Amino acid sequence: MPPQDLPSRPRRLRRTETIRALVRETTLAPRQLVLPLFLIEGEGNAESVDAMPGCARLSIDLAIHQAEHAIELGVHSFALFPAVAREKKSPDGREGLREDNLLCRAVIAMRRALPEACLITDIALDPYSSLGHDGIVSPDGRVLNDETVELLTHMAQLHAQVGADFVAPSDMMDGRVGAIRRGLDGAGFAETGIISYAAKYASAFYGPFREALDSAPIDAPNVPRHKKTYQMDPANAREALREAALDEAEGADILLVKPGLPCLDIISRLRERTTLPIAAYQVSGEYAMIRSAAELGRLDETAALVESLTALARAGADVIFSYYAMEYAGWYRLEVTK
Ligand code: PBG
């Protein structure tokens, strides 16, 4: 058959790996990744998380080891989440404001052991709340906004004081970024940044995380079983842009979108509207989906995680939170910088 007279043959740019690499539009470097770490009390203590095979809750010493290993691979940023013992939880989450709680001790120890690392702390009540909510729940079952924001502002000051580089409010209360910014500045922490979970959806994909922290909303009278009065409806996109614009105006340094892959459109639309860095969170359920399918032999795990993280970067994310950060960095060393 004679060759067709085609004016354009896109396949020419896909002919060899060298050419494909030459014209590749998106490269995600390990330095752009944030590794979430789940913390527990004790020493030499590791508890696997059933819903997230391959992830564990680690005592502070083991978390430091894990972080050192990540740093060798090129991942220098860590998001810290304390798994707080049930008996320390209360309806108002006051453990979260205690100066020597697990999270504060972890930040101090990691800051000392890894002076160059970027440490990001979560600002929300849920790890400390016996009811499993990010805010204060009123007796008639409402999650109270302004009362919660006041507590979160104190929490942010505490995290700044122990040495966090960024506080990351993940609670979705109204006005919390502005309140936290003023609270930090007023307490002498003008250099501490805010990564705002600007568009955080009420997502089914957080299930495994809530198992990791034992932080799901409890089944009790006048306690909402979901977080839909503060986290966003997955059906909405314009609302995400509105939330992001508010957080930017209130002083956020980085805007985070969550979950990741279900929100590629949100990341990409936000990319066109803000000059701030955008972060995306490949959440626990996204990790568990890939991991579980791979364990059943139904997916190539490395290919799937690399494709997912690259898609988030392609959509416009500059920074990506991922439980796969170290696996990605290992792949990057072998395949990209070989
Ligand atoms: C809570 C918080 C959640 C996650 C991060 N911070 C869960 C929730 O909102 O219920 C989810 C992260 C993940 O699923 O990996 N403030």
Side-chain angles (χ1 to χ4, degrees):
M1 194 172 115
Q4 276 190 72
D5 180 18
L6 291 181
S8 194
R9 288 183 182 270
R11 287 186 56 196
R12 280 196 286 262
L13 295 179
R14 299 182 211 131
R15 194 170 54 82
T16 69
E17 177 51 26
T18 304
I19 296 171
R20 289 191 293 274
L22 180 71
V23 298
R24 186 159 294 137
E25 298 175 36
T26 308
T27 306
L28 175 67
R31 64 176 170 78
Q32 297 172 267
L33 298 175
V34 176
L35 177 66
L37 293 171
F38 299 127
L39 304 164
I40 46 170
E41 294 287 358
E43 241 187 86
N45 205 2
E47 288 174 5
S48 52
V49 179
D50 290 344
M52 302 175 71
C55 284
R57 305 176 197 93
L58 302 173
S59 54
I60 294 173
D61 56 326
L62 295 188
I64 290 174
H65 273 138
Q66 175 97 326
E68 284 168 343
H69 188 189
I71 288 170
E72 281 166 24
L73 288 165
V75 176
H76 299 267
S77 300
F78 304 95
L80 307 179
F81 296 100
V84 176
R86 268 275 143 207
E87 60 272 16
K88 291 192 175 162
K89 299 191 184 196
S90 59
D92 61 0
R94 74 179 76 91
E95 174 68 14
L97 298 182
R98 236 172 28 87
E99 286 187 21
D100 66 340
N101 68 22
L102 175 60
L103 187 272
C104 292
R105 280 181 279 121
V107 173
I108 291 169
M110 290 184 74
R111 173 59 62 237
R112 191 179 306 136
L114 313 163
E116 309 293 322
C118 172
L119 303 180
I120 301 164
T121 61
D122 195 62
I123 302 294
L125 290 190
D126 56 313
Y128 314 98
S129 160
S130 53
L131 309 179
H133 276 286
D134 291 20
I136 302 280
V137 183
S138 70
D140 62 347
R142 289 171 301 123
V143 176
L144 300 176
N145 195 86
D146 298 9
E147 293 80 347
T148 298
V149 168
E150 197 180 329
L151 289 183
L152 298 181
T153 302
H154 291 304
M155 189 185 285
Q157 289 169 327
L158 180 59
H159 294 182
Q161 184 190 314
V162 291
D165 294 285
F166 288 96
V167 294
S170 66
D171 56 291
M172 291 300 282
M173 298 299 130
D174 292 333
R176 89 279 203 221
V177 172
I180 289 172
R181 187 68 272 158
R182 287 188 294 278
L184 290 173
D185 292 353
F189 300 114
E191 293 187 359
T192 307
I194 300 178
I195 299 177
S196 155
Y197 287 66
K200 175 170 176 179
Y201 287 89
S203 169
F205 292 103
Y206 309 152
F209 175 98
R210 293 179 190 173
E211 182 184 312
L213 296 195
D214 184 22
S215 65
I218 64 163
D219 186 5
N222 287 331
V223 178
R225 291 305 304 279
H226 57 75
K227 300 188 175 183
K228 293 179 189 176
T229 66
Y230 44 109
Q231 299 180 351
M232 287 175 36
D233 182 343
N236 294 356
R238 290 193 312 266
E239 189 183 354
L241 303 177
R242 178 174 180 225
E243 282 281 7
L246 285 169
D247 287 4
E248 179 162 0
E250 290 175 31
D253 298 285
I254 298 178
L255 300 170
L256 185 144
V257 175
K258 177 181 177 190
L261 226 47
C263 294
L264 292 178
D265 60 326
I266 307 300
I267 296 167
S268 127
R269 289 173 69 176
L270 188 54
R271 181 67 292 160
E272 287 166 10
R273 279 173 177 73
T274 183
T275 56
L276 291 182
I278 296 175
Y281 199 142
Q282 182 192 50
V283 298
S284 57
E286 299 178 72
Y287 170 87
M289 261 197 308
I290 296 176
R291 198 3 92 83
S292 307
E295 282 183 342
L296 291 171
R298 292 182 180 149
L299 276 183
D300 174 336
E301 183 170 37
T302 304
L305 75 90
V306 169
E307 181 178 330
S308 299
L309 295 177
T310 304
L312 292 167
R314 187 193 67 223
D318 305 286
V319 175
I320 301 178
F321 288 52
S322 172
Y323 302 96
Y324 273 130
M326 290 171 71
E327 286 83 351
Y328 180 90
W331 168 84
Y332 184 90
R333 172 173 285 184
L334 280 176
E335 296 297 327
V336 181
T337 56
K338 64 181 171 217

